[in-house]
Amino acid sequence: MIGSGVPGAASGDARVDTVVIGAGVSGLGFANWWRERHPEDALVVLEAEDEPGGYCRTVVRDGFVWDYSGHFFHFKDPAIEAWLRARMPGQEVRTVVRRAVIRYAGRDIDFPFQTHIHQLPLDDFLECLVELYFRPAGDGPPRSFGDMLVRRLGKGITDKFLRPYNEKLYATDLDRLDVDAMGRFFPQADIADIIAAMRPRPDVPAAGAGYNVTFTYPAGGAVQYIHALLRDLPAGMVSCGEPVTAIDLAARCVVTPRRRIHYQRVVSSAPLPALARLCGLAHDAVFSSNKVLVFNLGFDRKGPRDVHWMYFPDRALAFYRIGWYDNILPPRPGAPDRMSLYVEIGAAGDAALDVDALRARVLDDLRREAIVTDHQLVSHHHVVLDPAYVHITQASLAETARLKAELAAHDIHSVGRYGGWTYCSIEDNLIETRALAQQL
Ligand SMILES: Cc1cc2nc3c(=O)[nH]c(=O)nc-3n(C[C@H](O)[C@H](O)[C@H](O)COP(=O)(O)OP(=O)(O)OC[C@H]3O[C@@H](n4cnc5c(N)ncnc54)[C@H](O)[C@@H]3O)c2cc1C
């Protein structure tokens, strides 16, 4: 430990070993892993917002429990899940078997689309099948995400679902994105899987069923994982409402509106381009992303049952996905059973959003799809996640690697979904920060 680190102290100069930027899953994860190994170190977590959690936050309003968009959890590493659960005594965590569908031409097709084309109207099914069989081989490896889709699954599956749905979500042309832009989150299926799925075997999980066939969800909402990450951190270690406004690389000093903090190392979960700006480092103009406007909507009574979320490729509809909190977490005994929805709208990073007009349009579209009939909206909330899904391109991958290496040479480590300019889950954030704490 160096100097007299006084996390949360009043204005002036402070000196700590480690400054963590951001009190989301990544920042809090790192703080826990680091303190397990170096309990004597002075560490402070600086968070711009007035509360911790980042995108893993929960809003409780009028009896509804809502997240910053549906957040459901799929842990690959049992040790990570056990570690979190041990810090959530008394919290009920449900395991749910996913029921997700695609609304296509008035029908509900089981997810993933590519292994359920036999549920489409006959003409659409035949088109998908023929295009799948005669999919283009192309020369050399696929050039883009869009090219990969056509070459692997054919033009029918791509044009009917994968392209319109993902272009609504990403708010960009899929031919800009890297082949591996969705990584393991893209449900893989080859022609044999697709044909095999036409004769389902209940005892055999469908190939290409995706990474989240079952998921878990805490009764108190996604923020319960943030509470778990806060549990072992000393009071005052996390300073909210204290944005980092500059980082002086030469003086090894982080600047906030309250103080200057001298450090040995920084671990930042701020978006990578923003971190580069804070440090005064130039970067190529290759970072773009979408933003997602999330409406959480509470109604006076129950809506559809037996569905957790629904995908909408129809470009005429405002949203690309909606989900039912009330079907994932039934109400507590005695509480009313009411439809509780999250609705996600993708937009370009620089788009202006008229929230009131979009809410009205969403309600119209929900009526058009017969999800809302004579329901009354009794409560609502919205949040804009910006950035939400980053556009992973060849250029962004190269510039991310270059910038991270340049920052690391100054003992500044950029982590997390936006620090790594990537697509990942909260578990990935915990695995990454655990590895960093071991490595440093
Ligand atoms: C629409 C959507 C749905 C998702 N669904 C799931 C899901 O179902 N399951 C799942 O596991 N994951 C899901 N994710 C991913 C998950 O939200 C992220 O992996 C995780 O929340 C990222 O945590 P983080 O700490 O890396 O980043 P963030 O949550 O963005 O936290 C970064 C923190 O840094 C703070 N910060 C930024 N700049 C500064 C500054 N200058 N000074 C101080 N503080 C600063 C921010 O305020 C923020 O609190 C979803 C993401 C999105 C967008």
Side-chain angles (χ1 to χ4, degrees):
M1 172 174 171
I2 57 160
S4 54
V6 193
S11 59
D13 270 29
R15 190 168 290 277
V16 299
D17 299 291
T18 307
V19 172
V20 175
I21 303 178
V25 174
S26 300
L28 295 177
F30 181 81
N32 275 273
W33 305 127
W34 188 251
R35 277 182 48 76
E36 278 185 3
R37 302 175 79 86
H38 305 280
E40 76 291 352
D41 259 33
L43 180 149
V44 61
V45 183
L46 302 172
E47 169 53 53
E49 299 275 336
D50 290 337
E51 58 178 6
Y55 285 179
C56 200
R57 273 188 274 174
T58 300
V59 184
V60 180
R61 190 173 290 180
D62 300 319
F64 296 98
V65 178
W66 293 321
D67 293 332
Y68 276 25
S69 169
H71 264 70
F72 309 111
F73 303 97
H74 334 277
F75 291 94
K76 311 178 293 285
D77 179 343
I80 293 269
E81 184 162 26
W83 187 92
L84 284 168
R85 293 267 194 114
R87 285 157 183 78
M88 298 163 71
Q91 177 64 216
E92 182 196 356
V93 180
R94 297 213 165 202
T95 300
V96 182
V97 178
R98 180 192 70 203
R99 171 88 178 112
V101 295
I102 295 127
R103 177 64 58 90
Y104 182 88
R107 295 185 185 198
D108 291 341
I109 310 294
D110 285 324
F111 177 86
F113 186 86
Q114 45 269 47
T115 48
H116 296 94
I117 52 174
H118 52 287
Q119 296 176 2
L120 292 169
L122 185 60
D123 286 353
D124 291 323
F125 168 47
L126 292 177
E127 192 185 334
C128 287
L129 200 57
V130 171
E131 295 284 356
L132 174 67
Y133 188 78
F134 292 110
R135 66 199 182 282
D139 303 326
R143 291 178 307 280
S144 68
F145 187 61
D147 188 31
M148 178 275 290
L149 296 178
V150 175
R151 291 223 227 151
R152 190 171 296 169
L153 296 164
K155 197 169 173 319
I157 292 173
T158 301
D159 288 355
K160 289 182 195 311
F161 176 63
L162 292 169
R163 184 176 291 279
Y165 171 75
N166 283 300
E167 287 188 349
K168 282 172 79 177
L169 182 155
Y170 279 104
T172 196
D173 183 346
L174 298 190
D175 294 327
R176 275 191 65 220
L177 301 183
D178 181 67
V179 172
D180 205 25
M182 283 180 68
R184 69 183 171 86
F185 297 93
F186 180 72
Q188 298 291 356
D190 62 19
I191 190 163
D193 299 326
I194 294 169
I195 303 290
M198 292 176 194
R199 193 176 53 182
R201 295 250 323 265
D203 52 323
V204 180
Y211 63 95
N212 56 359
V213 175
T214 63
F215 61 90
T216 57
Y217 188 68
V223 77
Q224 296 305 324
Y225 289 123
I226 296 297
H227 292 167
L229 289 167
L230 287 168
R231 206 175 103 117
D232 296 340
L233 299 182
M237 179 168 274
V238 180
S239 179
C240 289
E242 186 170 6
V244 173
T245 52
I247 301 177
D248 183 335
L249 296 179
R252 297 174 75 84
C253 176
V254 159
V255 182
T256 81
R258 291 188 214 161
R259 50 189 167 154
R260 294 168 57 83
I261 307 173
H262 297 272
Y263 60 79
Q264 290 208 340
R265 67 189 67 78
V266 172
V267 173
S268 171
S269 58
L272 183 60
L275 176 63
R277 274 195 300 281
L278 291 174
C279 297
L281 295 180
H283 64 78
D284 290 345
V286 295
F287 296 110
S288 69
S289 56
N290 79 346
K291 57 186 163 200
V292 170
L293 168 60
V294 182
F295 286 113
N296 288 311
L297 304 177
F299 295 89
D300 60 340
R301 60 187 184 76
K302 192 81 180 160
R305 297 167 191 269
D306 195 29
V307 57
H308 299 132
W309 58 86
M310 195 179 271
Y311 302 87
F312 294 87
D314 184 349
R315 293 186 197 263
L317 296 167
F319 37 78
Y320 64 82
R321 183 169 61 182
I322 67 173
W324 282 261
Y325 292 106
D326 54 310
N327 290 340
I328 289 165
L329 206 62
R332 293 181 190 289
D337 197 0
R338 305 177 292 179
M339 181 157 68
S340 173
L341 290 183
Y342 65 87
V343 176
E344 296 173 321
I345 299 175
D350 58 359
L353 299 174
D354 181 340
V355 171
D356 290 335
L358 280 165
R359 190 187 307 104
R361 185 170 160 212
V362 161
L363 290 168
D364 282 348
D365 286 352
L366 290 171
R367 279 186 209 100
R368 190 190 118 172
E369 293 299 314
I371 289 160
V372 165
T373 53
D374 54 352
H375 298 78
Q376 295 301 314
L377 182 69
V378 294
S379 188
H380 61 85
H381 159 264
H382 75 271
V383 61
V384 177
L385 307 177
D386 182 12
Y389 292 88
V390 306
H391 297 152
I392 299 177
T393 63
Q394 291 283 317
S396 79
L397 289 169
E399 192 62 347
T400 297
R402 189 197 66 75
L403 259 182
K404 284 183 72 166
E406 186 175 358
L407 288 160
H410 292 279
D411 295 310
I412 297 180
H413 305 279
S414 189
V415 298
R417 179 165 169 124
Y418 303 103
W421 208 252
T422 190
Y423 189 152
C424 64
S425 69
I426 66 158
E427 185 191 32
D428 297 321
N429 301 140
L430 294 173
I431 291 173
E432 179 197 13
T433 50
R434 183 178 60 182
L436 181 66
Q438 285 163 1
Q439 174 211 320
L440 285 181

